[in-house]
Amino acid sequence: MALPGENTKFYETPNHPYQGERIAEESDLLGRYGLKNKEELWRAQSELRSYRREARELLGRVTEGEGEEGEEFVARLRRLGILGESDDLDAVLSLDVTDVLERRLQTVVYREGLANTPQQARQFIVHGHVTVDGSRVTAPSSKVDVATEENIAFDETSPLTDELHPARADNQE
């Protein structure tokens, strides 16, 4: 048990230290999403685990107030873009870790075409070149709502606002 004021882990490590198939799958995800280390992947897996746990709990309840709580939970996941508009509480149980990783700011910046690679997107974010809704965000792991996705841009004081900057993705053609 952690003492008050001490940090605690926000993820669970795998049960077995060496499983070749799991390690290969993790390495593929690290490269595809530009993650710094496996801890970031394990955090996403733990977040997905908590979503599934909450969905199972809500599905298992038989009280009348369950419908309202379940709708709030599904609405939150829809707002984050993890669930589609037509998905319901049952769809949470079939989610994959890639659904959570796709909503990270780093991945959204790469998918929007502001960076050439996920690693470059991470660098732009950490160095303070990216803004979300006009405010600078330096955490590549922050979640992006669907509504704020179109408000991601380069900071106006960043040299990357110049269309002819060598690091710009649209200048690489």
Side-chain angles (χ1 to χ4, degrees):
M1 185 173 147
L3 296 174
E6 286 188 10
N7 292 336
T8 58
K9 289 196 324 188
F10 294 101
Y11 61 93
E12 298 172 23
T13 58
N15 292 334
H16 196 274
Y18 181 78
Q19 295 167 326
E21 186 176 315
R22 177 188 53 80
I23 291 173
E25 183 180 321
E26 286 177 349
S27 297
D28 176 52
L29 287 172
L30 259 61
R32 238 187 324 159
Y33 290 99
L35 303 177
K36 185 173 99 176
N37 51 32
K38 290 191 179 179
E39 178 184 323
E40 291 188 337
L41 177 63
W42 295 337
R43 281 181 192 234
Q45 288 171 339
S46 293
E47 183 179 346
L48 177 64
R49 225 175 278 123
S50 69
Y51 290 156
R52 286 182 179 161
R53 186 179 304 121
E54 188 170 347
R56 279 193 309 271
E57 200 173 289
L58 289 170
L59 285 170
R61 289 189 194 154
V62 289
T63 61
E64 294 178 12
E66 176 266 324
E68 187 175 308
E69 289 179 28
E71 285 302 314
E72 290 173 3
F73 176 63
V74 170
R76 182 178 55 151
L77 293 180
R78 284 182 186 150
R79 181 177 47 82
L80 283 172
I82 294 173
L83 284 181
E85 289 300 318
S86 62
D87 291 336
D88 59 347
L89 195 57
D90 292 329
V92 177
L93 300 176
S94 63
L95 289 176
D96 192 28
V97 70
T98 57
D99 297 320
V100 176
L101 291 173
E102 284 289 332
R103 299 312 306 163
R104 289 169 45 101
L105 177 61
Q106 177 180 356
T107 307
V108 173
V109 166
Y110 171 64
R111 300 273 190 248
E112 291 285 320
L114 296 176
N116 296 324
T117 63
Q119 290 81 6
Q120 187 182 44
R122 180 183 194 89
Q123 183 182 21
F124 287 168
I125 294 165
V126 169
H127 289 197
H129 295 294
V130 176
T131 60
V132 178
D133 277 339
S135 62
R136 185 177 297 179
V137 180
T138 58
S141 64
S142 62
K143 299 288 180 271
V144 178
D145 291 350
V146 175
T148 61
E149 191 171 340
E150 65 266 2
N151 298 332
I152 296 174
F154 289 121
D155 189 21
E156 67 255 1
T157 62
S158 169
L160 292 170
T161 55
D162 182 17
E163 295 287 331
L164 299 175
H165 194 279
R168 287 287 298 260
D170 50 358
N171 198 23
Q172 300 296 321
E173 298 170 358

